[in-house]
Amino acid sequence: KKDIPVANFIMHEIHCSRNLEVCRYCSELIAKSEMKTHIESEHVQVTCKCRMKIEKCLLKDHEASACPLRPALCQFCDIQLTFDKLQDHEIYCGARTERCGGCGRNIMMKDLKEHPRVCG
């Protein structure tokens, strides 16, 4: 998968075909002697805390961006919840009120950012 000078190409091709192979799962070039270890360490199925089965090499990305049990912060109170509980919590939390120091009215938390624009 790299450019090779024409003068070295035949020797390089022989070396690669003898020592390397393409992983059938991720298409990476792996030393033939390391292929079994690569498959066992990167492509073995593991179970996430959300009970989803996934390849080990994909687990970090899943936990960071797709897992329903990943940590998430409420935009109104900064409490940490799991992502699957965030929407219900923010509906409840955003409906709480706080007194405006300018006009004295009770303003819902979800409207506090826009309130200064319309505050009398």
PDB file of all heavy atoms in Angstrom, residues 53-92:
ATOM      1  N   LYS A  53     -23.074  -6.612  21.799  1.00  0.00           N
ATOM      2  CA  LYS A  53     -21.855  -7.321  21.412  1.00  0.00           C
ATOM      3  C   LYS A  53     -21.200  -6.538  20.283  1.00  0.00           C
ATOM      4  O   LYS A  53     -21.862  -6.132  19.335  1.00  0.00           O
ATOM      5  CB  LYS A  53     -22.170  -8.738  20.977  1.00  0.00           C
ATOM      6  CG  LYS A  53     -22.644  -9.618  22.127  1.00  0.00           C
ATOM      7  CD  LYS A  53     -22.432 -11.076  21.814  1.00  0.00           C
ATOM      8  CE  LYS A  53     -22.878 -11.971  22.924  1.00  0.00           C
ATOM      9  NZ  LYS A  53     -22.073 -11.905  24.112  1.00  0.00           N
ATOM     10  N   ILE A  54     -19.889  -6.354  20.415  1.00  0.00           N
ATOM     11  CA  ILE A  54     -19.161  -5.520  19.471  1.00  0.00           C
ATOM     12  C   ILE A  54     -17.708  -5.956  19.424  1.00  0.00           C
ATOM     13  O   ILE A  54     -17.205  -6.531  20.389  1.00  0.00           O
ATOM     14  CB  ILE A  54     -19.284  -4.031  19.897  1.00  0.00           C
ATOM     15  CG1 ILE A  54     -18.803  -3.096  18.815  1.00  0.00           C
ATOM     16  CG2 ILE A  54     -18.597  -3.766  21.202  1.00  0.00           C
ATOM     17  CD1 ILE A  54     -19.210  -1.652  19.040  1.00  0.00           C
ATOM     18  N   GLU A  55     -17.042  -5.713  18.280  1.00  0.00           N
ATOM     19  CA  GLU A  55     -15.618  -6.041  18.187  1.00  0.00           C
ATOM     20  C   GLU A  55     -14.841  -5.163  19.159  1.00  0.00           C
ATOM     21  O   GLU A  55     -15.145  -3.980  19.325  1.00  0.00           O
ATOM     22  CB  GLU A  55     -15.092  -5.785  16.770  1.00  0.00           C
ATOM     23  CG  GLU A  55     -15.443  -6.853  15.784  1.00  0.00           C
ATOM     24  CD  GLU A  55     -14.779  -6.628  14.426  1.00  0.00           C
ATOM     25  OE1 GLU A  55     -13.714  -5.980  14.370  1.00  0.00           O
ATOM     26  OE2 GLU A  55     -15.333  -7.105  13.439  1.00  0.00           O
ATOM     27  N   LYS A  56     -13.841  -5.749  19.775  1.00  0.00           N
ATOM     28  CA  LYS A  56     -13.057  -5.030  20.773  1.00  0.00           C
ATOM     29  C   LYS A  56     -12.470  -3.727  20.226  1.00  0.00           C
ATOM     30  O   LYS A  56     -12.456  -2.709  20.915  1.00  0.00           O
ATOM     31  CB  LYS A  56     -11.946  -5.932  21.305  1.00  0.00           C
ATOM     32  CG  LYS A  56     -11.181  -5.335  22.453  1.00  0.00           C
ATOM     33  CD  LYS A  56     -10.156  -6.319  22.989  1.00  0.00           C
ATOM     34  CE  LYS A  56      -9.383  -5.712  24.147  1.00  0.00           C
ATOM     35  NZ  LYS A  56      -8.396  -6.644  24.669  1.00  0.00           N
ATOM     36  N   CYS A  57     -12.016  -3.732  18.984  1.00  0.00           N
ATOM     37  CA  CYS A  57     -11.403  -2.534  18.403  1.00  0.00           C
ATOM     38  C   CYS A  57     -12.412  -1.403  18.198  1.00  0.00           C
ATOM     39  O   CYS A  57     -12.029  -0.245  18.037  1.00  0.00           O
ATOM     40  CB  CYS A  57     -10.694  -2.864  17.094  1.00  0.00           C
ATOM     41  SG  CYS A  57     -11.781  -3.481  15.797  1.00  0.00           S
ATOM     42  N   LEU A  58     -13.699  -1.693  18.211  1.00  0.00           N
ATOM     43  CA  LEU A  58     -14.730  -0.674  18.016  1.00  0.00           C
ATOM     44  C   LEU A  58     -15.354  -0.208  19.334  1.00  0.00           C
ATOM     45  O   LEU A  58     -16.149   0.735  19.351  1.00  0.00           O
ATOM     46  CB  LEU A  58     -15.836  -1.216  17.104  1.00  0.00           C
ATOM     47  CG  LEU A  58     -15.403  -1.684  15.719  1.00  0.00           C
ATOM     48  CD1 LEU A  58     -16.572  -2.322  14.984  1.00  0.00           C
ATOM     49  CD2 LEU A  58     -14.815  -0.539  14.927  1.00  0.00           C
ATOM     50  N   LEU A  59     -14.978  -0.857  20.435  1.00  0.00           N
ATOM     51  CA  LEU A  59     -15.621  -0.596  21.720  1.00  0.00           C
ATOM     52  C   LEU A  59     -15.416   0.836  22.202  1.00  0.00           C
ATOM     53  O   LEU A  59     -16.369   1.474  22.648  1.00  0.00           O
ATOM     54  CB  LEU A  59     -15.127  -1.589  22.774  1.00  0.00           C
ATOM     55  CG  LEU A  59     -15.788  -1.487  24.146  1.00  0.00           C
ATOM     56  CD1 LEU A  59     -17.284  -1.764  24.040  1.00  0.00           C
ATOM     57  CD2 LEU A  59     -15.136  -2.459  25.113  1.00  0.00           C
ATOM     58  N   LYS A  60     -14.218   1.382  22.114  1.00  0.00           N
ATOM     59  CA  LYS A  60     -13.966   2.746  22.601  1.00  0.00           C
ATOM     60  C   LYS A  60     -14.837   3.776  21.882  1.00  0.00           C
ATOM     61  O   LYS A  60     -15.419   4.655  22.521  1.00  0.00           O
ATOM     62  CB  LYS A  60     -12.489   3.101  22.449  1.00  0.00           C
ATOM     63  CG  LYS A  60     -11.602   2.536  23.521  1.00  0.00           C
ATOM     64  CD  LYS A  60     -10.265   3.264  23.501  1.00  0.00           C
ATOM     65  CE  LYS A  60      -9.202   2.618  24.345  1.00  0.00           C
ATOM     66  NZ  LYS A  60      -9.516   2.314  25.685  1.00  0.00           N
ATOM     67  N   ASP A  61     -14.944   3.665  20.560  1.00  0.00           N
ATOM     68  CA  ASP A  61     -15.795   4.593  19.808  1.00  0.00           C
ATOM     69  C   ASP A  61     -17.261   4.429  20.202  1.00  0.00           C
ATOM     70  O   ASP A  61     -17.978   5.415  20.342  1.00  0.00           O
ATOM     71  CB  ASP A  61     -15.641   4.386  18.303  1.00  0.00           C
ATOM     72  CG  ASP A  61     -14.331   4.929  17.768  1.00  0.00           C
ATOM     73  OD1 ASP A  61     -13.711   5.785  18.448  1.00  0.00           O
ATOM     74  OD2 ASP A  61     -13.923   4.516  16.674  1.00  0.00           O
ATOM     75  N   HIS A  62     -17.700   3.189  20.368  1.00  0.00           N
ATOM     76  CA  HIS A  62     -19.080   2.926  20.782  1.00  0.00           C
ATOM     77  C   HIS A  62     -19.354   3.555  22.137  1.00  0.00           C
ATOM     78  O   HIS A  62     -20.366   4.243  22.319  1.00  0.00           O
ATOM     79  CB  HIS A  62     -19.337   1.414  20.825  1.00  0.00           C
ATOM     80  CG  HIS A  62     -20.607   1.045  21.515  1.00  0.00           C
ATOM     81  ND1 HIS A  62     -21.848   1.180  20.913  1.00  0.00           N
ATOM     82  CD2 HIS A  62     -20.828   0.561  22.766  1.00  0.00           C
ATOM     83  CE1 HIS A  62     -22.785   0.789  21.770  1.00  0.00           C
ATOM     84  NE2 HIS A  62     -22.187   0.414  22.900  1.00  0.00           N
ATOM     85  N   GLU A  63     -18.451   3.333  23.100  1.00  0.00           N
ATOM     86  CA  GLU A  63     -18.647   3.871  24.450  1.00  0.00           C
ATOM     87  C   GLU A  63     -18.646   5.401  24.449  1.00  0.00           C
ATOM     88  O   GLU A  63     -19.337   6.019  25.251  1.00  0.00           O
ATOM     89  CB  GLU A  63     -17.556   3.359  25.390  1.00  0.00           C
ATOM     90  CG  GLU A  63     -17.698   1.899  25.733  1.00  0.00           C
ATOM     91  CD  GLU A  63     -16.557   1.363  26.575  1.00  0.00           C
ATOM     92  OE1 GLU A  63     -15.421   1.893  26.481  1.00  0.00           O
ATOM     93  OE2 GLU A  63     -16.794   0.406  27.326  1.00  0.00           O
ATOM     94  N   ALA A  64     -17.902   6.012  23.548  1.00  0.00           N
ATOM     95  CA  ALA A  64     -17.796   7.471  23.518  1.00  0.00           C
ATOM     96  C   ALA A  64     -18.952   8.152  22.791  1.00  0.00           C
ATOM     97  O   ALA A  64     -19.343   9.263  23.155  1.00  0.00           O
ATOM     98  CB  ALA A  64     -16.476   7.883  22.871  1.00  0.00           C
ATOM     99  N   SER A  65     -19.521   7.488  21.767  1.00  0.00           N
ATOM    100  CA  SER A  65     -20.492   8.219  20.959  1.00  0.00           C
ATOM    101  C   SER A  65     -21.817   7.518  20.694  1.00  0.00           C
ATOM    102  O   SER A  65     -22.769   8.185  20.272  1.00  0.00           O
ATOM    103  CB  SER A  65     -19.861   8.584  19.607  1.00  0.00           C
ATOM    104  OG  SER A  65     -19.502   7.416  18.914  1.00  0.00           O
ATOM    105  N   ALA A  66     -21.914   6.225  20.924  1.00  0.00           N
ATOM    106  CA  ALA A  66     -23.152   5.531  20.565  1.00  0.00           C
ATOM    107  C   ALA A  66     -23.811   4.777  21.712  1.00  0.00           C
ATOM    108  O   ALA A  66     -24.998   4.487  21.653  1.00  0.00           O
ATOM    109  CB  ALA A  66     -22.880   4.550  19.418  1.00  0.00           C
ATOM    110  N   CYS A  67     -23.072   4.467  22.747  1.00  0.00           N
ATOM    111  CA  CYS A  67     -23.616   3.658  23.848  1.00  0.00           C
ATOM    112  C   CYS A  67     -24.703   4.441  24.588  1.00  0.00           C
ATOM    113  O   CYS A  67     -24.491   5.587  24.974  1.00  0.00           O
ATOM    114  CB  CYS A  67     -22.501   3.281  24.819  1.00  0.00           C
ATOM    115  SG  CYS A  67     -23.084   2.250  26.187  1.00  0.00           S
ATOM    116  N   PRO A  68     -25.870   3.835  24.793  1.00  0.00           N
ATOM    117  CA  PRO A  68     -26.920   4.537  25.534  1.00  0.00           C
ATOM    118  C   PRO A  68     -26.558   4.751  27.007  1.00  0.00           C
ATOM    119  O   PRO A  68     -27.166   5.578  27.670  1.00  0.00           O
ATOM    120  CB  PRO A  68     -28.143   3.623  25.391  1.00  0.00           C
ATOM    121  CG  PRO A  68     -27.606   2.288  25.012  1.00  0.00           C
ATOM    122  CD  PRO A  68     -26.310   2.529  24.306  1.00  0.00           C
ATOM    123  N   LEU A  69     -25.538   4.041  27.500  1.00  0.00           N
ATOM    124  CA  LEU A  69     -25.123   4.189  28.896  1.00  0.00           C
ATOM    125  C   LEU A  69     -23.899   5.094  29.057  1.00  0.00           C
ATOM    126  O   LEU A  69     -23.339   5.188  30.142  1.00  0.00           O
ATOM    127  CB  LEU A  69     -24.849   2.809  29.514  1.00  0.00           C
ATOM    128  CG  LEU A  69     -26.046   1.860  29.536  1.00  0.00           C
ATOM    129  CD1 LEU A  69     -25.669   0.534  30.167  1.00  0.00           C
ATOM    130  CD2 LEU A  69     -27.225   2.479  30.261  1.00  0.00           C
ATOM    131  N   ARG A  70     -23.507   5.792  27.976  1.00  0.00           N
ATOM    132  CA  ARG A  70     -22.372   6.712  28.082  1.00  0.00           C
ATOM    133  C   ARG A  70     -22.763   7.893  28.961  1.00  0.00           C
ATOM    134  O   ARG A  70     -23.936   8.271  29.023  1.00  0.00           O
ATOM    135  CB  ARG A  70     -21.921   7.176  26.702  1.00  0.00           C
ATOM    136  CG  ARG A  70     -22.890   8.091  25.981  1.00  0.00           C
ATOM    137  CD  ARG A  70     -22.423   8.342  24.549  1.00  0.00           C
ATOM    138  NE  ARG A  70     -23.279   9.236  23.811  1.00  0.00           N
ATOM    139  CZ  ARG A  70     -24.336   8.874  23.122  1.00  0.00           C
ATOM    140  NH1 ARG A  70     -24.689   7.596  23.072  1.00  0.00           N
ATOM    141  NH2 ARG A  70     -25.057   9.766  22.469  1.00  0.00           N
ATOM    142  N   PRO A  71     -21.799   8.491  29.636  1.00  0.00           N
ATOM    143  CA  PRO A  71     -22.118   9.627  30.501  1.00  0.00           C
ATOM    144  C   PRO A  71     -22.510  10.862  29.688  1.00  0.00           C
ATOM    145  O   PRO A  71     -21.976  11.110  28.610  1.00  0.00           O
ATOM    146  CB  PRO A  71     -20.828   9.874  31.277  1.00  0.00           C
ATOM    147  CG  PRO A  71     -19.758   9.111  30.583  1.00  0.00           C
ATOM    148  CD  PRO A  71     -20.406   8.095  29.705  1.00  0.00           C
ATOM    149  N   ALA A  72     -23.452  11.616  30.233  1.00  0.00           N
ATOM    150  CA  ALA A  72     -23.909  12.841  29.588  1.00  0.00           C
ATOM    151  C   ALA A  72     -24.274  13.847  30.679  1.00  0.00           C
ATOM    152  O   ALA A  72     -24.712  13.468  31.764  1.00  0.00           O
ATOM    153  CB  ALA A  72     -25.120  12.552  28.703  1.00  0.00           C
ATOM    154  N   LEU A  73     -24.072  15.131  30.398  1.00  0.00           N
ATOM    155  CA  LEU A  73     -24.373  16.186  31.361  1.00  0.00           C
ATOM    156  C   LEU A  73     -25.664  16.900  31.005  1.00  0.00           C
ATOM    157  O   LEU A  73     -25.892  17.247  29.845  1.00  0.00           O
ATOM    158  CB  LEU A  73     -23.243  17.232  31.395  1.00  0.00           C
ATOM    159  CG  LEU A  73     -21.937  16.821  32.033  1.00  0.00           C
ATOM    160  CD1 LEU A  73     -20.918  17.949  31.903  1.00  0.00           C
ATOM    161  CD2 LEU A  73     -22.125  16.449  33.484  1.00  0.00           C
ATOM    162  N   CYS A  74     -26.484  17.157  32.016  1.00  0.00           N
ATOM    163  CA  CYS A  74     -27.695  17.953  31.831  1.00  0.00           C
ATOM    164  C   CYS A  74     -27.273  19.387  31.535  1.00  0.00           C
ATOM    165  O   CYS A  74     -26.440  19.962  32.232  1.00  0.00           O
ATOM    166  CB  CYS A  74     -28.548  17.896  33.092  1.00  0.00           C
ATOM    167  SG  CYS A  74     -29.963  19.042  33.047  1.00  0.00           S
ATOM    168  N   GLN A  75     -27.874  19.985  30.528  1.00  0.00           N
ATOM    169  CA  GLN A  75     -27.526  21.360  30.145  1.00  0.00           C
ATOM    170  C   GLN A  75     -28.031  22.391  31.145  1.00  0.00           C
ATOM    171  O   GLN A  75     -27.580  23.532  31.148  1.00  0.00           O
ATOM    172  CB  GLN A  75     -28.066  21.675  28.753  1.00  0.00           C
ATOM    173  CG  GLN A  75     -29.579  21.632  28.661  1.00  0.00           C
ATOM    174  CD  GLN A  75     -30.079  21.965  27.281  1.00  0.00           C
ATOM    175  OE1 GLN A  75     -29.648  22.934  26.678  1.00  0.00           O
ATOM    176  NE2 GLN A  75     -30.999  21.147  26.774  1.00  0.00           N
ATOM    177  N   PHE A  76     -28.942  21.993  32.024  1.00  0.00           N
ATOM    178  CA  PHE A  76     -29.519  22.952  32.970  1.00  0.00           C
ATOM    179  C   PHE A  76     -28.900  22.881  34.366  1.00  0.00           C
ATOM    180  O   PHE A  76     -28.762  23.894  35.032  1.00  0.00           O
ATOM    181  CB  PHE A  76     -31.039  22.750  33.072  1.00  0.00           C
ATOM    182  CG  PHE A  76     -31.723  22.824  31.744  1.00  0.00           C
ATOM    183  CD1 PHE A  76     -32.369  21.717  31.215  1.00  0.00           C
ATOM    184  CD2 PHE A  76     -31.714  23.990  30.997  1.00  0.00           C
ATOM    185  CE1 PHE A  76     -33.000  21.785  29.982  1.00  0.00           C
ATOM    186  CE2 PHE A  76     -32.337  24.062  29.756  1.00  0.00           C
ATOM    187  CZ  PHE A  76     -32.979  22.957  29.252  1.00  0.00           C
ATOM    188  N   CYS A  77     -28.536  21.682  34.820  1.00  0.00           N
ATOM    189  CA  CYS A  77     -28.025  21.567  36.192  1.00  0.00           C
ATOM    190  C   CYS A  77     -26.650  20.910  36.271  1.00  0.00           C
ATOM    191  O   CYS A  77     -26.106  20.756  37.362  1.00  0.00           O
ATOM    192  CB  CYS A  77     -29.009  20.797  37.070  1.00  0.00           C
ATOM    193  SG  CYS A  77     -29.171  19.037  36.647  1.00  0.00           S
ATOM    194  N   ASP A  78     -26.081  20.508  35.130  1.00  0.00           N
ATOM    195  CA  ASP A  78     -24.754  19.885  35.053  1.00  0.00           C
ATOM    196  C   ASP A  78     -24.624  18.578  35.832  1.00  0.00           C
ATOM    197  O   ASP A  78     -23.519  18.134  36.116  1.00  0.00           O
ATOM    198  CB  ASP A  78     -23.651  20.857  35.508  1.00  0.00           C
ATOM    199  CG  ASP A  78     -23.422  21.952  34.496  1.00  0.00           C
ATOM    200  OD1 ASP A  78     -23.635  21.706  33.290  1.00  0.00           O
ATOM    201  OD2 ASP A  78     -23.022  23.058  34.904  1.00  0.00           O
ATOM    202  N   ILE A  79     -25.727  17.938  36.154  1.00  0.00           N
ATOM    203  CA  ILE A  79     -25.654  16.620  36.780  1.00  0.00           C
ATOM    204  C   ILE A  79     -25.289  15.601  35.704  1.00  0.00           C
ATOM    205  O   ILE A  79     -25.685  15.742  34.550  1.00  0.00           O
ATOM    206  CB  ILE A  79     -26.982  16.246  37.481  1.00  0.00           C
ATOM    207  CG1 ILE A  79     -26.815  15.006  38.354  1.00  0.00           C
ATOM    208  CG2 ILE A  79     -28.078  16.003  36.476  1.00  0.00           C
ATOM    209  CD1 ILE A  79     -28.033  14.687  39.206  1.00  0.00           C
ATOM    210  N   GLN A  80     -24.506  14.611  36.072  1.00  0.00           N
ATOM    211  CA  GLN A  80     -24.113  13.579  35.103  1.00  0.00           C
ATOM    212  C   GLN A  80     -25.089  12.410  35.178  1.00  0.00           C
ATOM    213  O   GLN A  80     -25.369  11.891  36.258  1.00  0.00           O
ATOM    214  CB  GLN A  80     -22.692  13.087  35.381  1.00  0.00           C
ATOM    215  CG  GLN A  80     -22.181  12.166  34.302  1.00  0.00           C
ATOM    216  CD  GLN A  80     -20.697  11.886  34.423  1.00  0.00           C
ATOM    217  OE1 GLN A  80     -19.968  12.598  35.072  1.00  0.00           O
ATOM    218  NE2 GLN A  80     -20.257  10.835  33.786  1.00  0.00           N
ATOM    219  N   LEU A  81     -25.594  12.021  34.003  1.00  0.00           N
ATOM    220  CA  LEU A  81     -26.536  10.911  33.865  1.00  0.00           C
ATOM    221  C   LEU A  81     -26.049  10.009  32.746  1.00  0.00           C
ATOM    222  O   LEU A  81     -25.091  10.330  32.059  1.00  0.00           O
ATOM    223  CB  LEU A  81     -27.922  11.439  33.463  1.00  0.00           C
ATOM    224  CG  LEU A  81     -28.523  12.539  34.279  1.00  0.00           C
ATOM    225  CD1 LEU A  81     -29.320  13.469  33.408  1.00  0.00           C
ATOM    226  CD2 LEU A  81     -29.407  11.921  35.321  1.00  0.00           C
ATOM    227  N   THR A  82     -26.757   8.914  32.531  1.00  0.00           N
ATOM    228  CA  THR A  82     -26.489   8.124  31.331  1.00  0.00           C
ATOM    229  C   THR A  82     -27.291   8.751  30.189  1.00  0.00           C
ATOM    230  O   THR A  82     -28.350   9.344  30.404  1.00  0.00           O
ATOM    231  CB  THR A  82     -26.878   6.645  31.520  1.00  0.00           C
ATOM    232  OG1 THR A  82     -28.253   6.568  31.881  1.00  0.00           O
ATOM    233  CG2 THR A  82     -26.007   5.981  32.577  1.00  0.00           C
ATOM    234  N   PHE A  83     -26.764   8.631  28.973  1.00  0.00           N
ATOM    235  CA  PHE A  83     -27.378   9.269  27.817  1.00  0.00           C
ATOM    236  C   PHE A  83     -28.841   8.862  27.639  1.00  0.00           C
ATOM    237  O   PHE A  83     -29.673   9.683  27.257  1.00  0.00           O
ATOM    238  CB  PHE A  83     -26.576   8.945  26.552  1.00  0.00           C
ATOM    239  CG  PHE A  83     -27.079   9.650  25.339  1.00  0.00           C
ATOM    240  CD1 PHE A  83     -26.756  10.971  25.108  1.00  0.00           C
ATOM    241  CD2 PHE A  83     -27.889   8.996  24.422  1.00  0.00           C
ATOM    242  CE1 PHE A  83     -27.235  11.648  23.987  1.00  0.00           C
ATOM    243  CE2 PHE A  83     -28.369   9.656  23.302  1.00  0.00           C
ATOM    244  CZ  PHE A  83     -28.041  10.989  23.085  1.00  0.00           C
ATOM    245  N   ASP A  84     -29.173   7.607  27.928  1.00  0.00           N
ATOM    246  CA  ASP A  84     -30.552   7.148  27.734  1.00  0.00           C
ATOM    247  C   ASP A  84     -31.541   7.781  28.714  1.00  0.00           C
ATOM    248  O   ASP A  84     -32.739   7.770  28.474  1.00  0.00           O
ATOM    249  CB  ASP A  84     -30.633   5.615  27.794  1.00  0.00           C
ATOM    250  CG  ASP A  84     -30.230   5.042  29.134  1.00  0.00           C
ATOM    251  OD1 ASP A  84     -29.560   5.731  29.924  1.00  0.00           O
ATOM    252  OD2 ASP A  84     -30.580   3.871  29.400  1.00  0.00           O
ATOM    253  N   LYS A  85     -31.067   8.370  29.787  1.00  0.00           N
ATOM    254  CA  LYS A  85     -31.945   9.032  30.757  1.00  0.00           C
ATOM    255  C   LYS A  85     -31.922  10.561  30.604  1.00  0.00           C
ATOM    256  O   LYS A  85     -32.696  11.265  31.235  1.00  0.00           O
ATOM    257  CB  LYS A  85     -31.529   8.653  32.171  1.00  0.00           C
ATOM    258  CG  LYS A  85     -31.700   7.174  32.470  1.00  0.00           C
ATOM    259  CD  LYS A  85     -31.541   6.909  33.933  1.00  0.00           C
ATOM    260  CE  LYS A  85     -31.690   5.487  34.377  1.00  0.00           C
ATOM    261  NZ  LYS A  85     -32.167   4.497  33.547  1.00  0.00           N
ATOM    262  N   LEU A  86     -31.042  11.072  29.759  1.00  0.00           N
ATOM    263  CA  LEU A  86     -30.845  12.513  29.650  1.00  0.00           C
ATOM    264  C   LEU A  86     -32.077  13.262  29.148  1.00  0.00           C
ATOM    265  O   LEU A  86     -32.463  14.279  29.721  1.00  0.00           O
ATOM    266  CB  LEU A  86     -29.652  12.816  28.732  1.00  0.00           C
ATOM    267  CG  LEU A  86     -29.298  14.290  28.566  1.00  0.00           C
ATOM    268  CD1 LEU A  86     -28.835  14.887  29.889  1.00  0.00           C
ATOM    269  CD2 LEU A  86     -28.231  14.458  27.506  1.00  0.00           C
ATOM    270  N   GLN A  87     -32.720  12.777  28.107  1.00  0.00           N
ATOM    271  CA  GLN A  87     -33.849  13.510  27.528  1.00  0.00           C
ATOM    272  C   GLN A  87     -34.982  13.686  28.536  1.00  0.00           C
ATOM    273  O   GLN A  87     -35.491  14.801  28.710  1.00  0.00           O
ATOM    274  CB  GLN A  87     -34.365  12.812  26.266  1.00  0.00           C
ATOM    275  CG  GLN A  87     -35.442  13.622  25.578  1.00  0.00           C
ATOM    276  CD  GLN A  87     -35.900  12.992  24.274  1.00  0.00           C
ATOM    277  OE1 GLN A  87     -35.567  11.872  23.956  1.00  0.00           O
ATOM    278  NE2 GLN A  87     -36.676  13.739  23.512  1.00  0.00           N
ATOM    279  N   ASP A  88     -35.366  12.614  29.215  1.00  0.00           N
ATOM    280  CA  ASP A  88     -36.441  12.724  30.212  1.00  0.00           C
ATOM    281  C   ASP A  88     -36.048  13.671  31.334  1.00  0.00           C
ATOM    282  O   ASP A  88     -36.859  14.478  31.801  1.00  0.00           O
ATOM    283  CB  ASP A  88     -36.799  11.352  30.787  1.00  0.00           C
ATOM    284  CG  ASP A  88     -37.544  10.476  29.796  1.00  0.00           C
ATOM    285  OD1 ASP A  88     -38.098  11.013  28.817  1.00  0.00           O
ATOM    286  OD2 ASP A  88     -37.555   9.248  29.998  1.00  0.00           O
ATOM    287  N   HIS A  89     -34.791  13.591  31.776  1.00  0.00           N
ATOM    288  CA  HIS A  89     -34.332  14.462  32.846  1.00  0.00           C
ATOM    289  C   HIS A  89     -34.364  15.925  32.402  1.00  0.00           C
ATOM    290  O   HIS A  89     -34.809  16.800  33.159  1.00  0.00           O
ATOM    291  CB  HIS A  89     -32.909  14.094  33.291  1.00  0.00           C
ATOM    292  CG  HIS A  89     -32.332  15.088  34.239  1.00  0.00           C
ATOM    293  ND1 HIS A  89     -32.619  15.086  35.585  1.00  0.00           N
ATOM    294  CD2 HIS A  89     -31.508  16.144  34.023  1.00  0.00           C
ATOM    295  CE1 HIS A  89     -31.997  16.103  36.161  1.00  0.00           C
ATOM    296  NE2 HIS A  89     -31.304  16.764  35.236  1.00  0.00           N
ATOM    297  N   GLU A  90     -33.903  16.219  31.183  1.00  0.00           N
ATOM    298  CA  GLU A  90     -33.863  17.608  30.725  1.00  0.00           C
ATOM    299  C   GLU A  90     -35.261  18.190  30.525  1.00  0.00           C
ATOM    300  O   GLU A  90     -35.464  19.393  30.730  1.00  0.00           O
ATOM    301  CB  GLU A  90     -33.030  17.733  29.445  1.00  0.00           C
ATOM    302  CG  GLU A  90     -31.550  17.657  29.723  1.00  0.00           C
ATOM    303  CD  GLU A  90     -30.671  17.917  28.518  1.00  0.00           C
ATOM    304  OE1 GLU A  90     -31.141  17.752  27.374  1.00  0.00           O
ATOM    305  OE2 GLU A  90     -29.514  18.287  28.738  1.00  0.00           O
ATOM    306  N   ILE A  91     -36.229  17.369  30.165  1.00  0.00           N
ATOM    307  CA  ILE A  91     -37.612  17.850  30.066  1.00  0.00           C
ATOM    308  C   ILE A  91     -38.083  18.294  31.449  1.00  0.00           C
ATOM    309  O   ILE A  91     -38.633  19.387  31.617  1.00  0.00           O
ATOM    310  CB  ILE A  91     -38.537  16.765  29.472  1.00  0.00           C
ATOM    311  CG1 ILE A  91     -38.216  16.570  27.987  1.00  0.00           C
ATOM    312  CG2 ILE A  91     -40.008  17.134  29.673  1.00  0.00           C
ATOM    313  CD1 ILE A  91     -38.873  15.355  27.365  1.00  0.00           C
ATOM    314  N   TYR A  92     -37.836  17.454  32.440  1.00  0.00           N
ATOM    315  CA  TYR A  92     -38.214  17.780  33.825  1.00  0.00           C
ATOM    316  C   TYR A  92     -37.405  18.978  34.336  1.00  0.00           C
ATOM    317  O   TYR A  92     -37.946  19.950  34.860  1.00  0.00           O
ATOM    318  CB  TYR A  92     -37.992  16.565  34.728  1.00  0.00           C
ATOM    319  CG  TYR A  92     -37.983  16.897  36.189  1.00  0.00           C
ATOM    320  CD1 TYR A  92     -39.176  17.100  36.883  1.00  0.00           C
ATOM    321  CD2 TYR A  92     -36.785  17.043  36.882  1.00  0.00           C
ATOM    322  CE1 TYR A  92     -39.166  17.435  38.231  1.00  0.00           C
ATOM    323  CE2 TYR A  92     -36.760  17.375  38.220  1.00  0.00           C
ATOM    324  CZ  TYR A  92     -37.957  17.570  38.885  1.00  0.00           C
ATOM    325  OH  TYR A  92     -37.945  17.902  40.213  1.00  0.00           O
TER     326      TYR A  92
END
